[in-house]
Amino acid sequence: MDSHHQSNYKRSKTEKKFLRKQMKARHTLLRHEGIETVSYATQSLVVANGGLGNSVSRKQLLPVLEKCGFVDALLMPPNKPYSFVRYRTTEESKKAYDTLSGKEIVDDLGQKITLYLNFVEKAPWKELGLQALPPGLTVIEEIISPEDEKMLLESVNWTEDTDNQNFQKSLKHRRVKHFGYEFQYENNNVDKEKPLPGGLPDLCDSILEKWLKEGFIEHKPDQLTVNQYEPGQGIPAHIDTHSAFEDEIISLSLGSETRLEGQMRKRKNQIVMDFKHPNGVTVPVMLPCRSLLVMTGESRYLWTHGITPRKFDTVQASRGHKSGIVTGDVEDLTLSKRGIRTSFTFRKVRHTPCNCRYSLVCDSQTKETPPSFPESDREASRLEQEYVHRVYEGIAGHFSSTRHTPWPRVVEFLKALPSGSVVADVGCGNGKYLGVNEELYMIGCDRSQSLVDICRERRYQAVVCDALAVPVRSGSCDACISIAVIHHFATAERRAAALRELVRLLRPGGKALIYVWAMEQEHNKKKSKYLRENRVSPGREELTSNEMSAQEVPAKHTPDLGSQDSARPVPSISDFQEGGCDSRKATSSKLPIHTNRTPFHSQDLLVPWHVTGNPGKDRPVEPLGALGSSDPGAVFHRYYHVFREAELEAACRTLSDVSVLQSYYDQGNWCVILQKV
Ligand SMILES: O=C(O)CCC(=O)C(=O)O
Ligand SMILES: [Fe+2]
Ligand SMILES: [Zn+2]
């Protein structure tokens, strides 16, 4: 081979690799973000991997883009691994597409990042624009003077002192000190019978009186937790225990001014606190030093709050913008280096049970006793309503953000179907199977409106319905899939009815693939990934993640956009509530609560789902690892009937007009392929 040939060959190989990555970036943008790219040149481009979420700052990206032409606008959505650029002319954007696609740049942390550019019809300037603060939340700036700030900071004595009654702990990832009452991280509550001597520091007392008088707060707190965070430290997403504290919770942010490198002006130290609704909506709130965060109502009771442990935050670049929401002007975002932050969180200890409106997350209103095993169809239906439908509706967004990797053997089934086949995905969730084979006509259905909405945003066909009554004509489907659905029905009769409904949809000769979660999480001496993912840290904290349930085991989860650059660990969080509540045999008719990532001891059980404020796919984070405390996020319990070996197959064999083509075990699930005869 002469050298000419060789270089040609080389180029085409690199080109192929690039095209593959470019395609992958387009696919990821569409499937995970709903961003549609186009194959013709337009003025706007989406720059995959060139986002604040990849630690690429405006300062780095803009000059690179400006080399190709006049940049009209650069939109950098917070925490996203991509950005949008609009050039003045299509020629300029085309030049950027030709020269920058596949180009490496160095991010803020000194790592190489490969950019992938694609044309878009229009960037979602508006959609990513203004976002409201969570209801009930306010940030009051400059609430104290720099002098008071200094005094407050100096008043905290961090030196270890055993006589010191103001209980102080060095949590693994931040320092804390308590006044008034000790906050116990073991149960996320306070011992109301044992106030600490000394109460709140006098200095705080007079400041609180002033805020009361001026109307910034309505109630005088009697408990104070001082948290100190080094850069890179944080606090896991949590809701302060309802039964422990009254409604109003306030947090004063303190920290010294930092001088920006190479710049004369001072920049106020600030961090971003993330608020997350159980439906998955996340609102990053910027907290400058000397500001007071006031959480009441929904923002205090329903939303989790947490600080992602990292060294940089995405903040508003302009000096005019100070606090509050970070996405006010997405054309104006940059990265800010964290300094040491000390916060004074004041709360009022609660002496009567909480009777807030948010019963789903209220520990005072959680039923003491778990639900019972259903005795009738009606009870079963009620159990599913409460412990399946209501939960999925509540966690839809968060659930969806942990569900993107289709299972290989399900994909194999769908890919083997003849093109043009009509296929129903009954219990389609966020629609992760609806697009795996574009040659099929797929229709999804799910009981959760929010999940169906997510499917529709992704431009899939999906309807809301019950798997026992699918609004599709009998015999009209060439194939059906039911992945991780039938285990949510609470009686054998209802599970059989769900199987019959699938068969009803099939035409003679049509096939159905069914997956249910297996009781046996160890098969042929091999533990399922669900069990293998159980990492127990030295403390009592068990690190778990919601990622793996029946649907989400086989493939590796890499949330990147066509390159290795943005794949970073996704945090998991401690299982805080199952402390003394091990999976146990159902000795009574009460349903046991399962401990995540341990073997099943009962076929009918409740499996906890933690709303952790887990940033999920769209946010690069440093690993949370073992964070200092096990503060609670919200926990929801889902009902499951896990299937024993041969149980699913036996149920299928009782159906009329059906032959079982295959019955197998796949990563902790029992699976059947059946055919209508
Ligand atoms: O550091 C803060 O501002 C918040 C601390 C907090 O949420 C807590 O201690 O519960
Ligand atoms: Fe808190
Ligand atoms: Zn409550």
Side-chain angles (χ1 to χ4, degrees):
M1 208 188 280
D2 64 28
S3 61
H4 178 74
H5 255 103
Q6 228 166 20
S7 74
N8 258 355
Y9 170 70
K10 248 191 190 158
R11 197 184 316 137
S12 71
K13 203 171 156 195
T14 329
E15 260 171 28
K16 263 195 209 152
K17 188 173 160 208
F18 165 74
L19 282 174
R20 240 190 1 256
K21 299 244 175 171
Q22 178 86 345
M23 279 305 289
K24 193 172 166 214
R26 292 183 69 165
H27 185 84
T28 312
L29 285 166
L30 180 64
R31 289 287 170 262
H32 297 176
E33 305 288 340
I35 298 165
E36 209 165 349
T37 56
V38 294
S39 50
Y40 47 88
T42 61
Q43 262 171 278
S44 298
L45 291 150
V46 54
V47 186
N49 287 338
L52 295 167
N54 283 66
S55 306
V56 173
S57 66
R58 174 173 292 271
K59 212 173 75 206
Q60 288 164 309
L61 187 61
L62 193 56
V64 176
L65 296 170
E66 280 176 334
K67 282 205 183 104
C68 302
F70 186 89
V71 173
D72 225 8
L74 172 62
L75 178 90
M76 300 190 81
N79 304 314
K80 296 288 186 189
Y82 51 82
S83 53
F84 297 93
V85 57
R86 188 172 63 219
Y87 282 95
R88 197 173 37 189
T89 64
T90 308
E91 286 66 48
E92 287 161 309
S93 71
K94 189 148 185 322
K95 185 168 172 208
Y97 177 83
D98 291 337
T99 51
L100 300 180
S101 265
K103 187 181 156 79
E104 265 181 6
I105 63 166
V106 176
D107 72 7
D108 244 30
L109 307 170
Q111 296 165 356
K112 283 185 186 157
I113 296 239
T114 310
L115 303 179
Y116 293 95
L117 281 75
N118 276 294
F119 293 109
V120 288
E121 259 308 334
K122 62 177 178 56
W125 316 101
K126 279 235 175 60
E127 292 84 330
L128 289 167
L130 284 171
Q131 197 181 1
L133 283 174
L137 191 117
T138 45
V139 180
I140 304 148
E141 296 208 22
E142 309 278 345
I143 193 150
I144 57 164
S145 64
E147 293 71 40
D148 281 351
E149 175 184 41
K150 193 156 175 276
M151 272 204 302
L152 280 167
L153 283 171
E154 284 168 1
S155 74
V156 189
N157 174 10
W158 289 108
T159 52
E160 300 278 347
D161 174 3
T162 40
D163 292 339
N164 191 334
Q165 297 294 329
N166 300 319
F167 288 81
Q168 159 176 343
K169 280 199 176 69
S170 260
L171 297 177
K172 276 194 210 99
H173 288 80
R174 60 180 203 278
R175 293 204 285 188
V176 295
K177 206 169 165 112
H178 304 290
F179 299 84
Y181 292 83
E182 185 188 357
F183 185 82
Q184 297 159 340
Y185 292 97
E186 303 78 56
N187 60 359
N188 296 301
N189 216 312
V190 287
D191 186 343
K192 296 168 189 178
E193 309 305 320
K194 268 210 229 143
L196 298 172
L200 301 192
D202 290 342
L203 183 56
C204 294
D205 208 67
S206 57
I207 290 175
L208 290 168
E209 285 295 344
K210 188 162 157 263
W211 292 346
L212 265 174
K213 225 168 74 210
E214 290 170 0
F216 292 125
I217 57 174
E218 283 183 25
H219 305 283
K220 176 102 181 264
D222 53 12
Q223 193 272 341
L224 163 64
T225 296
V226 182
N227 283 288
Q228 191 168 76
Y229 309 81
E230 299 280 336
Q233 298 187 325
I235 183 168
H238 65 278
I239 299 173
D240 287 53
T241 310
H242 289 204
S243 64
F245 304 110
E246 294 284 351
D247 186 353
E248 193 175 63
I249 293 178
I250 59 176
S251 186
L252 179 66
S253 296
L254 305 175
S256 50
E257 310 237 61
T258 49
R259 206 175 269 278
L260 282 184
E261 262 174 75
Q263 282 176 279
M264 284 313 286
R265 68 186 163 88
K266 283 179 183 170
R267 162 61 77 51
K268 253 210 267 169
N269 212 340
Q270 52 197 344
I271 57 105
V272 169
M273 184 178 272
D274 291 311
F275 280 79
K276 188 159 186 152
H277 190 279
N279 70 9
V281 169
T282 304
V283 179
V285 178
M286 199 148 89
L287 301 176
C289 59
R290 299 200 302 282
S291 71
L292 184 71
L293 168 77
V294 182
M295 293 182 269
T296 64
E298 192 181 306
S299 67
R300 179 262 182 270
Y301 286 129
L302 185 62
W303 295 61
T304 63
H305 56 278
I307 298 169
T308 305
R310 58 185 168 207
K311 295 195 169 131
F312 290 86
D313 282 305
T314 303
V315 297
Q316 230 70 43
S318 61
R319 272 207 282 168
H321 191 101
K322 291 177 194 160
S323 72
I325 200 100
V326 176
T327 51
D329 176 6
V330 275
E331 294 182 39
D332 179 39
L333 290 174
T334 187
L335 293 173
S336 138
K337 201 170 179 173
R338 281 190 191 166
I340 295 175
R341 169 176 180 267
T342 308
S343 66
F344 282 50
T345 302
F346 298 97
R347 304 174 277 209
K348 184 166 164 54
V349 169
R350 186 191 284 280
H351 295 282
T352 52
C354 178
N355 63 351
C356 68
R357 290 166 44 206
Y358 311 94
S359 55
L360 202 57
V361 290
C362 182
D363 64 309
S364 287
Q365 295 173 60
T366 315
K367 292 177 196 81
E368 294 281 291
T369 50
S372 300
F373 185 80
E375 302 279 353
S376 65
D377 189 67
R378 225 176 117 180
E379 276 179 30
S381 164
R382 230 182 276 140
L383 179 75
E384 291 161 15
Q385 178 68 35
E386 180 92 350
Y387 289 91
V388 181
H389 309 158
R390 206 163 78 107
V391 174
Y392 276 104
E393 203 54 62
I395 66 174
H398 183 223
F399 172 80
S400 173
S401 71
T402 66
R403 294 290 183 279
H404 15 85
T405 317
W407 282 36
R409 291 192 72 171
V410 179
V411 173
E412 200 180 293
F413 175 84
L414 292 170
K415 289 220 161 141
L417 293 170
S419 91
S421 295
V422 174
V423 184
D425 181 353
V426 179
C428 63
N430 66 354
K432 71 172 177 172
Y433 292 111
L434 297 179
V436 303
N437 180 354
E438 291 183 351
E439 305 290 306
L440 306 175
Y441 291 106
M442 283 198 78
I443 169 161
C445 63
D446 202 281
R447 194 66 179 65
S448 156
Q449 176 73 57
S450 308
L451 287 170
V452 167
D453 288 344
I454 292 171
C455 293
R456 290 183 181 165
E457 277 165 25
R458 296 176 174 178
R459 299 187 169 76
Y460 295 134
Q461 303 293 333
V463 294
V464 176
C465 75
D466 197 294
L468 296 181
V470 179
V472 170
R473 228 179 297 139
S474 302
S476 59
C477 295
D478 298 301
C480 295
I481 59 171
S482 162
I483 310 302
V485 176
I486 290 175
H487 50 219
H488 284 312
F489 286 99
T491 63
E493 178 40 45
R494 291 171 70 78
R495 293 187 283 274
L499 290 171
R500 278 199 301 277
E501 184 66 355
L502 286 175
V503 175
R504 183 186 69 76
L505 302 178
L506 291 176
R507 64 159 168 86
K511 291 177 192 169
L513 171 66
I514 301 147
Y515 266 63
V516 292
W517 211 358
M519 171 97 174
E520 299 82 0
Q521 288 298 311
E522 196 170 329
H523 190 63
N524 292 338
K525 301 223 167 77
K526 199 164 172 255
K527 284 193 169 127
S528 72
K529 202 160 175 210
Y530 176 74
L531 290 187
R532 291 203 311 270
E533 291 282 317
N534 186 3
R535 296 165 289 138
V536 180
S537 68
R540 62 167 267 291
E541 290 172 69
E542 183 200 346
L543 299 175
T544 66
S545 96
N546 293 314
E547 281 243 347
M548 311 291 170
S549 83
Q551 299 95 311
E552 196 72 9
V553 179
K556 216 175 102 220
H557 157 215
T558 41
D560 69 333
L561 292 169
S563 88
Q564 73 293 346
D565 303 315
S566 58
R568 301 207 179 149
V570 170
S572 49
I573 198 162
S574 54
D575 238 0
F576 55 90
Q577 264 207 338
E578 281 68 61
C581 206
D582 277 351
S583 269
R584 54 192 183 225
K585 243 193 166 67
T587 42
S588 67
S589 64
K590 295 279 172 247
L591 289 169
I593 295 177
H594 177 59
T595 301
N596 282 332
R597 294 180 194 291
T598 63
F600 294 116
H601 298 298
S602 163
Q603 274 197 274
D604 295 278
L605 71 174
L606 299 175
V607 176
W609 174 275
H610 299 272
V611 175
T612 59
N614 179 340
K617 64 181 164 55
D618 57 8
R619 197 171 317 172
V621 285
E622 292 160 41
L624 276 169
L627 272 153
S629 87
S630 49
D631 298 332
V635 187
F636 298 92
H637 292 104
R638 285 172 299 167
Y639 165 81
Y640 278 89
H641 169 85
V642 289
F643 281 65
R644 283 188 187 278
E645 180 159 16
E647 186 181 344
L648 176 65
E649 186 183 335
C652 291
R653 289 200 189 278
T654 63
L655 304 169
S656 42
D657 305 328
V658 159
S659 72
V660 173
L661 298 183
Q662 261 191 66
S663 175
Y664 61 95
Y665 181 88
D666 183 14
Q667 290 285 6
N669 299 277
W670 292 112
C671 324
V672 161
I673 299 180
L674 54 79
Q675 185 166 37
K676 187 161 178 174
V677 290

